Amino acid sequence: MMTPLQQSIWNMIKCFRRNWRLFSDSERTTVCGADCMLMALHLSVAEINKKLCGEFKASLSEVILSWNYFVPDKLGILPENAKAPENYADIRNTYASFLKHCNMMDLVDIFIKCETLGLQIEPISSVSICHY
């Protein structure tokens, strides 16, 4: 049985699937959940580290620091005094490129697009998406 938040997110994804033409050029777009977003961010941090240090690796602390800044930043709820992780702009660009190359959209992008287009079936707060 799903929690109310899970049901709301599921309904948002169904809305995305029904209106995919408003979101993407391809009907075969994959939706990234939080676990996939974290994996893509991990790969992005490792890619930036490879460019800077020559080794394709990322420590858990680097990934978590990036995640804790990345999600609120994408949702536009980042506190004013939040300090960006090192090389954050490169990490974010690499993440976006990775999703585009793999024909994927993450839950945050879908949430923002649904909200912008007024397609939300049920209200979902950006804070609840951040903690999903």
Side-chain angles (χ1 to χ4, degrees), residues 36-101:
C36 184
M37 289 173 64
L38 188 58
M39 182 222 31
L41 187 64
H42 189 167
L43 292 171
S44 299
V45 171
E47 182 66 29
I48 296 304
N49 285 343
K50 181 180 178 188
K51 288 178 184 173
L52 297 174
C53 305
E55 219 175 321
F56 188 79
K57 68 177 185 174
S59 69
L60 180 59
S61 60
E62 282 180 292
V63 176
I64 298 301
L65 283 173
S66 297
W67 177 261
N68 288 338
Y69 189 89
F70 175 74
V71 175
D73 181 37
K74 280 190 81 164
L75 288 166
I77 58 172
L78 193 63
E80 283 184 33
N81 61 347
K83 187 176 180 317
E86 199 171 324
N87 304 308
Y88 176 70
D90 293 334
I91 292 167
R92 184 160 176 169
N93 290 337
T94 302
Y95 175 89
S97 295
F98 176 79
L99 291 187
K100 185 174 179 147
H101 178 77

